[in-house]
């Protein structure tokens, strides 16, 4: 499960962008020609106003705020419109014309917005109410007999008020439908990770609104593309701390990570092969019967001078444990050792059961959660032997080395200390991610989860963000059963971001 709270600070960013769009839309107000007549001491006077164009339209003051259990309220005040046009008057046997400048002042607009979700789990937004009012209309005319305009000024005032006020709310509604909702629709519902899995980011329902924030709740669940099966566990209940210092807060529960482990385990992808060619030359315990024969004499007697192969597989879906100040993963593994016979067939020689604990460092980089594993503990037991009994303690150095120097470097991709890699300028649902399946992937497996092992924890997985939204001032802190991520929001071109160590108290 994934929750994020959008606090009122972000509304200034949203308001600025919204005002830009709304001002462009309202500038489309059409001012029709109008005419009429009135009776004066001079007799019947006919008038017409035409060729009206908007020279200037400004929305100088606006405010947007959440309304509990309702949605958002947008209030605009002090707006004004400057218009130019032509006038024509006929009175008695006279006919005259000229130009005019008109200024509409004190235009106020009140707009209510209501959030929802559609059948696909995407967010929706709709106009719930709209009203507007014009305080004053000022007109300045030029030309001969311009004083005649004073005779029917009231008529002109009413006609222009009605023409403008009748168009504002329909234009606002159109701006929401054609401009704002398409932006919300860029929030990803499904993020395809690779040929095996994707993440379901669909909303669990319409986002609740409080007096402080908009609460967006997403499913946040990995699923297998070929055959979706509900995970055998439920997401925890998340309560995010009441901290309003940043614009947005994400609560990423361990459920998201653990569904990844469940999916890749169920798909049979958590398998890793280690061969002698993968071991650095400087390490003197080679993966052959000569080296292992020193530790297990019976092995070299039965299979003299032969290469070996280790197949490491997860015996259950690995799970991430998130606690305040600490993130760990403790996969349970089987290590099956084989001897590679001269005809290239494999002879099983022993099977180890391995319980490990790795510390996970978590970071955010360019809108993606990335990580790094550090092995902290290994416990081994002999599950079966085809070469007689032996002490597994003797293998501890070799297995430790293989895990620390072969497996983890491929899983991590690179060191967390590096920050010069820009992974992605904006959200891309087609990029590969992982956090745990990489524990069992090597570059000798041509059909496994990743074609390039360095893309595993290095790439991470994407946070569900709107297009062009970038996170800045990121802080990250492990809480009970979830990662708390806080950030400010920048709308526009992507920028390089800084790695944040998930272990460091940052809030």
């Amino acid at each position: 499960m994934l929750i994020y709270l959008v606090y009122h600070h972000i509304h200034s960013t949203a308001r600025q962008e919204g005002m830009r769009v709304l001002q462009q839309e309202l500038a489309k107000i059409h001012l029709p020609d109008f005419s009429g007549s009135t009776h004066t001491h001079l007799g019947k006077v006919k008038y017409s106003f035409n060729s009206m164009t908007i020279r200037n339209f400004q929305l100088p003051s606006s405010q947007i705020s959440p309304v509990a259990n309702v949605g958002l309220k947008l209030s605009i005040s002090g707006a004004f419109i400057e218009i130019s046009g032509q006038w024509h008057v006929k009175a008695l046997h006279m006919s005259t014309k000229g130009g005019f400048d008109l200024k509409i002042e004190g235009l106020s607009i009140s707009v209510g917005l209501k959030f929802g979700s559609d059948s696909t789990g995407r967010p929706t937004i709709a106009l719930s109410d709209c009203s507007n009012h014009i305080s004053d209309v000022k007109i300045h005319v030029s030309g001969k007999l311009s004083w005649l305009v004073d005779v029917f000024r009231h008529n002109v005032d009413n006609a222009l008020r009605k023409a403008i006020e009748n168009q504002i709310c329909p234009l606002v509604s159109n701006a929401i439908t054609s401009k704002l909702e398409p932006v919300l629709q860029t929030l990803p519902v499904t993020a395809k990770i690779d040929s095996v899995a994707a993440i379901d980011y669909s909303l669990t329902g319409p986002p609740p609104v409080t007096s402080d924030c908009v609460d967006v709740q997403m499913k946040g669940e990995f699923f297998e593309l070929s055959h979706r099966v509900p995970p055998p566990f439920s997401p925890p209940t998340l309560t995010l701390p009441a901290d309003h210092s940043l614009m947005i807060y994400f609560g990423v529960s361990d459920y998201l990570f653990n569904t990844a482990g469940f999916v890749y385990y169920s798909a049979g992808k958590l398998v890793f092969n280690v061969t002698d060619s993968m071991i650095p030359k400087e390490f003197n315990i080679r993966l052959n019967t000569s080296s292992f024969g020193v530790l297990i004499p019976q092995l070299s007697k039965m299979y003299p001078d032969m290469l070996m192969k280790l197949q490491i597989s997860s015996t259950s879906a690995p799970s991430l444990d998130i606690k305040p100040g600490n993130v760990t993963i403790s996969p349970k593994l089987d290590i099956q050792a084989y001897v590679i016979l001269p005809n290239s067939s494999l002879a099983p020689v022993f099977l180890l059961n391995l319980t490990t604990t790795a510390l996970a460092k978590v970071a955010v980089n360019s809108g993606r959660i990335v990580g790094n594993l550090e092995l902290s503990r290994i416990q081994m037991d002999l599950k079966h032997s085809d070469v007689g009994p032996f002490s597994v303690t003797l293998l501890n150095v070799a297995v430790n080395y293989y895990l620390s120097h072969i497996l983890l470097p491929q899983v991590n991709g690179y060191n967390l200390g590096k920050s010069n890699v820009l992974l992605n300028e904006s959200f891309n649902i087609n990029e590969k991610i992982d956090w745990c399946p990489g524990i069992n992937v090597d570059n000798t497996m041509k059909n496994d989860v990743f074609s390039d092992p360095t893309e595993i924890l290095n790439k991470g997985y994407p946070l569900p963000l709107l297009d062009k939204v970038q996170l800045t001032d990121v802080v990250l802190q492990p809480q009970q059963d979830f990662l708390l991520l806080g950030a400010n929001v920048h709308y526009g071109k992507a920028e390089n971001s800084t790695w944040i160590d998930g272990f460091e108290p940052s809030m």
Side-chain angles (χ1 to χ4, degrees):
M1 186 175 185
L2 188 146
I3 293 178
Y4 65 89
L5 305 181
V6 182
Y7 281 100
H8 61 275
H9 314 303
I10 199 174
H11 299 153
S12 60
T13 300
R15 177 184 56 79
Q16 291 171 10
E17 184 63 22
M19 286 301 97
R20 184 187 65 81
V21 172
L22 191 58
Q23 184 164 315
Q24 290 176 349
E25 196 69 21
L26 291 178
K28 298 177 182 178
I29 287 176
H30 173 64
L31 298 173
D33 297 345
F34 64 91
S35 60
S37 63
T38 186
H39 290 277
T40 70
H41 65 283
L42 297 176
K44 187 176 182 180
V45 177
K46 295 181 180 180
Y47 60 86
S48 65
F49 284 74
N50 55 74
S51 303
M52 287 181 283
T53 58
I54 295 177
R55 292 188 293 106
N56 191 14
F57 194 147
Q58 296 295 325
L59 306 174
S61 178
S62 61
Q63 181 179 3
I64 188 169
S65 57
V67 180
N69 304 316
V70 177
L72 298 178
K73 177 65 72 174
L74 171 64
S75 301
I76 300 171
S77 60
F80 63 89
I81 308 173
E82 294 177 342
I83 300 169
S84 295
Q86 299 294 316
W87 61 272
H88 184 203
V89 170
K90 288 184 179 180
L92 295 176
H93 301 293
M94 297 179 298
S95 177
T96 186
K97 60 183 178 180
F100 73 88
D101 293 310
L102 183 144
K103 187 173 184 179
I104 294 173
E105 296 181 324
L107 171 60
S108 60
I109 306 172
S110 177
V111 177
L113 301 172
K114 184 177 181 179
F115 290 106
S117 59
D118 61 20
S119 58
T120 67
R122 295 184 184 278
T124 61
I125 192 168
L127 184 69
S128 59
D129 62 84
C130 180
S131 62
N132 65 89
H133 175 71
I134 295 174
S135 296
D136 192 21
V137 177
K138 295 180 178 179
I139 185 169
H140 173 74
V141 298
S142 60
K144 295 180 179 180
L145 302 178
S146 59
W147 57 269
L148 280 173
V149 175
D150 291 333
V151 175
F152 46 82
R153 184 183 295 272
H154 180 70
N155 299 41
V156 174
D157 185 314
N158 288 340
L160 285 172
R161 283 176 187 267
K162 184 176 180 180
I164 293 173
E165 289 178 345
N166 286 347
Q167 293 183 65
I168 286 177
C169 285
L171 287 171
V172 170
S173 178
N174 182 67
I176 293 169
T177 303
S178 63
K179 306 292 186 184
L180 181 56
E181 187 154 44
V183 172
L184 290 183
Q185 292 286 300
T186 65
L187 192 70
V189 171
T190 301
K192 184 179 179 183
I193 306 309
D194 50 36
S195 61
V196 176
I199 304 177
D200 184 346
Y201 278 137
S202 60
L203 271 62
T204 59
V209 180
T210 70
S211 59
D212 291 322
C213 67
V214 179
D215 184 356
V216 183
Q217 301 188 18
M218 299 178 173
K219 186 168 289 186
E221 176 183 302
F222 273 78
F223 65 92
E224 190 173 350
L225 291 171
S226 62
H227 179 59
R228 186 163 187 172
V229 177
F233 45 85
S234 301
T237 301
L238 302 187
T239 302
L240 272 61
D243 190 329
H244 303 178
S245 60
L246 297 170
M247 293 182 178
I248 191 169
Y249 288 87
F250 292 82
V252 185
S253 77
D254 55 10
Y255 179 79
L256 175 64
F257 302 99
N258 294 338
T259 55
F262 171 73
V263 164
Y264 285 99
Y265 173 75
S266 300
K269 297 299 181 179
L270 302 188
V271 178
F272 178 82
N273 295 307
V274 179
T275 60
D276 187 68
S277 61
M278 301 167 63
I279 300 172
K281 293 181 179 180
E282 61 269 17
F283 188 59
N284 56 12
I285 303 180
R286 309 305 306 174
L287 199 47
N288 56 45
T289 57
S290 298
S291 287
F292 270 72
V294 177
L295 307 175
I296 311 171
Q298 186 64 20
L299 178 62
S300 59
K301 290 179 181 179
M302 295 176 62
Y303 303 99
D305 299 321
M306 294 185 187
L307 289 174
M308 296 177 64
K309 173 182 177 179
L310 300 181
Q311 186 177 80
I312 305 173
S313 60
S314 182
T315 60
S316 61
S319 61
L320 200 70
D321 185 25
I322 305 176
K323 295 179 180 178
N326 191 32
V327 183
T328 58
I329 181 173
S330 302
K332 295 181 179 179
L333 308 172
D334 273 351
I335 302 181
Q336 176 65 61
Y338 295 98
V339 169
I340 303 175
L341 300 176
N343 62 2
S344 298
S345 62
L346 302 177
V349 287
F350 59 83
L351 176 64
L352 301 176
N353 177 258
L354 187 70
T355 300
T356 67
T357 298
L359 297 176
K361 289 186 176 182
V362 185
V364 175
N365 195 10
S366 296
R368 304 177 75 91
I369 292 183
V370 294
N372 181 290
L373 296 179
E374 294 180 358
L375 195 64
S376 65
R377 183 179 66 87
I378 292 179
Q379 180 179 335
M380 289 189 300
D381 296 298
L382 182 62
K383 203 170 183 178
H384 176 76
S385 175
D386 295 286
V387 292
F390 60 89
S391 174
V392 295
T393 304
L394 299 174
L395 301 179
N396 193 63
V397 173
V399 172
N400 244 306
Y401 185 89
Y402 297 152
L403 294 179
S404 300
H405 291 77
I406 299 175
L407 276 172
L408 289 186
Q410 294 184 58
V411 173
N412 293 331
Y414 65 33
N415 189 284
L416 264 178
K418 297 182 180 180
S419 59
N420 60 340
V421 177
L422 179 60
L423 299 178
N424 194 1
E425 285 195 339
S426 60
F427 182 83
N428 183 342
I429 66 173
N430 294 314
E431 295 210 357
K432 297 179 179 179
I433 73 170
D434 199 9
W435 65 279
C436 168
I439 266 182
N440 299 296
V441 177
D442 72 37
N443 55 12
T444 68
M445 303 177 67
K446 297 184 182 300
N447 297 315
D448 221 314
V449 182
F450 292 91
S451 58
D452 184 353
T454 64
E455 293 184 356
I456 300 172
L457 294 183
N458 176 352
K459 280 270 187 173
Y461 69 85
L463 288 167
L465 298 174
L466 299 174
D467 280 353
K468 298 183 181 180
V469 167
Q470 306 298 322
L471 303 181
T472 61
D473 308 314
V474 178
V475 293
L476 187 63
Q477 186 180 61
Q479 300 285 333
Q480 186 63 46
D481 300 325
F482 70 95
L483 296 175
L484 179 65
L485 187 159
N488 286 320
V489 172
H490 172 74
Y491 187 82
K493 187 178 179 181
E495 297 177 357
N496 287 330
S497 57
T498 303
W499 289 80
I500 309 294
D501 190 337
F503 290 117
E504 295 296 327
S506 51
M507 298 180 61

